[in-house]
């Protein structure tokens, strides 16, 4: 955090894709990379998303800043920089929040976010030869806000409030909405980034090409996203970013009691904010 505060120099053109973990980071990265670079690549042929996982195309802001102990790598990226982050909005320094750089935030129904996180943690634990975490235990941690990025609900509310105060700075989206009407949200993201689709692009079906390229079905079936890379065994592996990619899988995992507890926390936390999940 100190490195970000002291050394990171925001540029007015920076775009930060923000999420709580497991809320659609991979998808958001793919969609925005494809939107931003739509004139540079052929969608059927040489597109980088065919050969790279989205995390290698849109760098993880805090990860890169910590890894080298400096910000020099991020400084060397050409503008506009497309970065991704799990940091709560409140942890960004004023230099970023008061500059004209923009945030696209995606959140997700907490029940699906929790289930996705539980599966993910157990995949990582399995690879490290640790025993799986029981869902009851993981559930208590989630409900108590034990997470690297702070409590799930506070994370969502921080960006929600920022989007209400500064709609031109923070675009607030829900995974469920994007899933239901992907094309409409691709247009919305492009407009937010001041890169609306021209009539010509609409006629060429560019929006649909982006939607199809970035779909769960397409990305999860690419070789690059199926292969485990032994050379970076300590890192998260590409296949671990893909599981089901569906809305509502929580029904297959949560007990009635867990459902009621999560719904109640969500209702209490979001009361009076205008925010809710179906
Ligand atoms: P599930 O575990 O519910 O399947 P993140 O990218 O933030 O780590 O989130 C991972 C979740 O997003 C997983 O959810 C994963 O399957 C889903 N996901 C990954 N790529 C996706 C895509 N292209 N479209 C929709 N969902 C996707």
């Amino acid at each position: 955090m100190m490195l970000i505060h002291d050394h990171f120099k925001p540029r007015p053109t920076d775009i930060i894709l923000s999420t709580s973990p497991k809320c659609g980071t991979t998808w958001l990265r793919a969609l925005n990379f494809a939107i931003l670079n739509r004139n540079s690549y052929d969608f059927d042929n040489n597109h980088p998303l065919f050969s790279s996982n989205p995390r290698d195309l849109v760098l993880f802001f805090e990860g890169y800043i910590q890894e080298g102990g400096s910000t020099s790598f991020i400084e060397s990226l050409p503008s506009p920089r497309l970065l991704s982050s799990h940091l709560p909005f409140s942890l960004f320094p004023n230099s970023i929040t008061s500059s004209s750089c923009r945030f696209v935030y995606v959140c997700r129904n907490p029940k699906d976010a929790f289930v996705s996180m539980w599966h993910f943690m157990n995949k990582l634990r399995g690879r490290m030869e640790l025993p799986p975490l029981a869902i009851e235990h993981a559930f208590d941690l989630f409900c108590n806000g034990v997470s690297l990025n702070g409590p799930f609900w506070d994370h969502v509310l921080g960006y929600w409030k920022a989007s209400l105060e500064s709609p031109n700075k923070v675009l607030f989206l829900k995974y469920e909405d994007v899933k239901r009407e992907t094309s409409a949200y691709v247009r919305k993201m492009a407009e937010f980034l001041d890169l609306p689709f021209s009539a010509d692009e609409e006629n060429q079906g560019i929006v649909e090409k982006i939607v199809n390229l970035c779909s769960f079905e397409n990305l999860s079936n690419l070789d690059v996203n199926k292969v485990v890379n032994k050379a970076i065994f300590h890192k998260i592996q590409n296949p671990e970013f893909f599981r089901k990619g569906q809305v509502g899988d929580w029904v297959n995992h949560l007990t009635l009691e867990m459902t009621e507890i999560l719904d109640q926390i969500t209702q209490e936390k979001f009361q009076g904010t205008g925010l809710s999940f179906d």
Side-chain angles (χ1 to χ4, degrees):
M1 266 327 294
M2 291 316 289
L3 263 169
I4 296 175
H5 273 263
D6 295 345
H7 300 292
F8 178 68
K9 293 183 206 68
R11 298 181 198 156
T13 49
D14 284 343
I15 301 160
I16 302 178
L17 308 178
S18 278
T19 49
S20 253
K22 312 328 290 172
C23 289
T25 321
T26 308
W27 196 17
L28 190 65
R29 282 170 168 158
L31 287 171
N32 282 277
F33 180 88
I35 292 170
L36 212 67
N37 297 292
R38 62 189 189 256
N39 295 322
S40 308
Y41 306 108
D42 181 341
F43 284 96
D44 306 312
N45 227 329
N46 69 345
H47 203 286
L49 280 165
F50 286 129
S51 50
S52 301
N53 181 273
R55 67 156 157 190
D56 295 321
L57 301 173
V58 182
L59 299 181
F60 185 48
F61 181 73
E62 53 269 32
Y64 266 87
I65 285 190
Q66 282 158 10
E67 241 171 45
S70 90
T71 57
S72 58
F73 183 69
I74 288 195
E75 299 306 337
S76 71
L77 295 174
S79 297
R81 293 184 297 192
L82 189 58
L83 304 166
S84 96
S85 175
H86 290 323
L87 289 179
F89 190 74
S90 61
L91 284 191
F92 280 98
N94 282 342
S95 58
I96 297 185
T97 49
S98 62
S99 85
S100 58
C101 70
R102 275 167 281 197
F103 290 83
V104 182
Y105 183 71
V106 168
C107 65
R108 191 177 190 185
N109 185 315
K111 289 179 282 194
D112 278 339
F114 163 69
V115 166
S116 182
M117 179 55 104
W118 174 64
H119 279 286
F120 179 72
M121 292 312 290
N122 278 340
K123 267 191 222 163
L124 298 188
R125 288 173 69 90
R127 208 151 46 71
M128 292 186 280
E129 294 178 9
L130 291 169
L133 203 60
I135 194 164
E136 296 76 14
H137 185 113
F139 185 79
D140 286 343
L141 294 174
F142 186 81
C143 290
N144 289 319
V146 180
S147 144
L148 269 181
N149 307 286
F152 177 89
W153 297 270
D154 297 354
H155 201 280
V156 176
L157 279 176
Y159 283 93
W160 172 244
K161 285 179 186 154
S163 76
L164 294 179
E165 279 162 21
S166 317
N168 295 329
K169 181 168 195 69
V170 181
L171 178 67
F172 184 97
L173 305 172
K174 292 180 185 166
Y175 180 97
E176 295 75 21
D177 293 341
V178 182
K179 190 89 191 169
R180 197 172 46 237
E181 288 181 278
T182 314
S183 303
Y185 282 94
V186 165
R187 291 191 181 92
K188 207 181 234 262
M189 287 187 242
E191 276 161 28
F192 176 75
L193 300 176
D194 287 334
L195 297 166
F197 292 94
S198 65
D200 210 31
E201 286 178 313
E202 288 286 355
N203 288 337
Q204 288 174 45
I206 301 293
V207 175
E208 287 69 29
K209 285 186 183 184
I210 292 175
V211 171
N212 293 337
L213 175 68
C214 300
S215 71
F216 179 86
E217 292 67 28
N218 185 53
L219 292 186
S220 62
N221 282 308
L222 294 172
D223 284 347
V224 64
N225 292 323
K226 289 204 283 196
V227 167
V228 170
N229 182 350
K230 297 230 163 62
I232 53 159
F233 208 63
H234 62 290
K235 286 199 177 167
I236 299 168
Q237 299 288 323
N238 290 350
E240 289 162 355
F241 288 104
F242 303 92
R243 192 181 62 94
K244 281 193 167 177
Q246 290 171 4
V247 171
D249 185 45
W250 61 267
V251 292
N252 299 314
H253 299 282
L254 301 186
T255 62
L256 185 60
E257 195 194 356
M258 287 170 163
T259 308
E260 283 173 2
I261 293 173
L262 268 188
D263 284 346
Q264 200 189 340
I265 298 176
T266 304
Q267 208 192 341
E268 277 169 18
K269 291 268 192 181
F270 290 173
Q271 202 164 27
T273 63
L275 187 59
S276 64
F277 286 96
D278 302 336

